[in-house]
Amino acid sequence: MKYRTIGTDPATRREVSVFALGAMLFGSRTDEKTSFALLDRYVEAGGTFIDTSDNYAFWEDGGQGGQSEELLGRWRRSRGIGDEIVIATKLGARPLAPGTSYVDNPEGLSAKVIRESAERSRERLGVAKLDLLYAHIDDPTVPLQETVEGFAALVGEGTVGLLGVSNQSAWRVDRARTLAAAAGLPGYEVLQYEHSYLRPRTDLPSGLFPDGTLGAVGPDMLGYLRAEPRLTLVAYSPLLKGAYVRPDRLQPDYDHPGTPARFTALQEVARETGATVNQVVLAWLLGGELPVIPLVGASSMAQLEENLAAVDLELTPEQRARLDAAH
């Protein structure tokens, strides 16, 4: 395994594995025995960065979520896991009532919700301190200053380490970080967005949230990350939910002339390296100019082993240039 540091403050920064394990469906679609086996193997391989959310996976049972955090809490206790494993969770997108969703009935990002939701996550996970806490979605109904101060208060009290943000536009992220810096408060240091080798169209509305902010990293966010090199991008859905081996699963916003060209380049490099297409995608993310940590889910041991092996795949400069140039 390889590692990188997230965060800049010596008091809160953490060293984590370059491959994060997504626990979204653990405790719901993926049963406890399988989930525990995958978590054990991940840690055995040197993995130290696990991702969940307080709303995972409400859509599986028509509830409000919490199954993933609860399972991770049981796993931690049964294995004697301490702070050597960094567990990231999120708040803001938990539905307020069973049968509703984050689209029409989200918990939001008020100071009250931030405090109460973080406390419930700590209880489910069985931890005194949340290693990394994300704002899962934007909440334009709450003043941004309130949200910034609500998250910062938890860091100041020692119940949260690092702060992160997901599924928000680049300008909103920048404004929140500017407000925090101006007040001398901790701000977002880790950004979690969909990011992969294939690129979606940018001329179509994307996303499931009302303001369309859920979707792949676009040019604005990539530019922001280049201008802020101390930030870390955690790339969710890097394998596009199996679309690299099942192209029929690609979403409509990937239907453009650049997709076949990039598929061709990807397959050529896979043949040259003897690796799978998925492994080449992960290696491309890991070795790029930006500090990217792929966040990959797994429902079987075979999937996990394939993903873990990508950490040691080194692309040549020529292969990377060819992949980058395809369009």
Side-chain angles (χ1 to χ4, degrees), residues 54 69 91-92 94 107-108 112-122 124 130:
D54 70 350
E69 289 182 331
L91 59 80
R94 192 171 196 248
E107 61 185 349
K112 181 176 184 291
V113 164
I114 290 169
R115 179 169 295 279
E116 293 177 352
S117 295
E119 178 61 27
R120 286 192 292 267
S121 287
R122 289 199 302 123
R124 285 190 288 264
L130 298 172

Side-chain angles (χ1 to χ4, degrees), residues 225-243:
L225 289 163
R226 291 189 183 100
E228 299 287 345
R230 301 206 299 175
L231 298 177
T232 300
L233 173 64
V234 173
Y236 72 74
S237 296
L239 301 179
L240 300 179
K241 300 178 180 178

Side-chain angles (χ1 to χ4, degrees), residues 195-198 237-240 244 263 266 269-270 275-287 294 310 313 315 320 323:
H195 183 49
S196 189
Y197 173 64
L198 292 183
S237 296
L239 301 179
L240 300 179
Y244 284 103
F263 256 124
L266 195 58
V269 173
T276 67
V277 167
N278 283 341
Q279 288 170 337
V280 174
V281 171
L282 295 176
W284 178 83
L285 287 167
L286 287 168
L313 176 60
L315 302 178
R320 181 169 293 280
L323 289 168

Side-chain angles (χ1 to χ4, degrees), residues 51-301:
D51 183 87
T52 185
S53 173
D54 70 350
N55 75 338
Y56 292 163
F58 74 87
W59 56 91
E60 291 294 317
D61 64 0
Q64 292 172 273
Q67 306 101 304
S68 175
E69 289 182 331
E70 289 168 354
L71 180 136
L72 289 172
R74 293 192 295 273
W75 172 72
R76 287 185 69 260
R77 288 189 291 273
S78 69
R79 303 303 194 257
I81 297 294
D83 62 5
E84 70 276 12
I85 302 298
V86 173
I87 298 180
T89 193
K90 314 175 194 74
L91 59 80
R94 192 171 196 248
L96 289 173
T100 61
S101 78
Y102 54 74
V103 175
D104 55 11
N105 197 25
E107 61 185 349
L109 295 175
S110 68
K112 181 176 184 291
V113 164
I114 290 169
R115 179 169 295 279
E116 293 177 352
S117 295
E119 178 61 27
R120 286 192 292 267
S121 287
R122 289 199 302 123
E123 291 174 357
R124 285 190 288 264
L125 290 166
V127 297
K129 181 178 183 178
L130 298 172
D131 299 311
L132 168 58
L133 181 62
Y134 292 97
H136 201 165
I137 60 174
D138 203 355
D139 182 1
T141 69
V142 172
L144 198 52
Q145 186 79 37
E146 178 181 342
T147 297
V148 167
E149 291 175 353
F151 278 112
L154 300 183
V155 177
E157 294 164 12
T159 55
V160 171
L162 289 165
L163 298 175
V165 62
S166 184
N167 304 311
Q168 297 187 24
S169 59
W171 75 267
R172 287 282 283 179
V173 174
D174 184 62
R175 181 164 296 179
R177 295 183 66 243
T178 298
L179 287 171
L185 299 174
Y188 302 139
E189 295 191 83
V190 184
L191 279 57
Q192 186 177 134
Y193 291 78
E194 181 177 296
H195 183 49
S196 189
Y197 173 64
L198 292 183
R199 297 178 296 193
R201 292 174 60 177
T202 58
D203 60 334
L204 295 175
S206 65
L208 300 176
F209 297 135
D211 61 357
T213 52
L214 175 62
V217 166
D220 286 351
M221 184 58 72
L222 286 174
Y224 185 65
L225 289 163
R226 291 189 183 100
E228 299 287 345
R230 301 206 299 175
L231 298 177
T232 300
L233 173 64
V234 173
Y236 72 74
S237 296
L239 301 179
L240 300 179
K241 300 178 180 178
Y244 284 103
V245 293
R246 287 279 307 277
D248 58 298
R249 294 183 179 180
L250 272 179
Q251 296 299 307
D253 50 347
Y254 289 90
D255 184 12
H256 59 83
T259 294
R262 283 175 91 81
F263 256 124
T264 297
L266 195 58
Q267 290 161 349
E268 288 175 355
V269 173
R271 285 193 296 269
E272 293 166 8
T273 59
T276 67
V277 167
N278 283 341
Q279 288 170 337
V280 174
V281 171
L282 295 176
W284 178 83
L285 287 167
L286 287 168
E289 61 170 316
L290 298 174
V292 177
I293 296 177
L295 168 58
V296 191
S299 59
S300 71
M301 199 62 71

Side-chain angles (χ1 to χ4, degrees), residues 1-3 40-47 305 308:
M1 186 57 71
K2 299 173 184 176
Y3 302 88
D40 289 344
R41 174 62 187 127
Y42 174 70
V43 172
E44 179 186 50
E305 295 292 356
L308 287 169

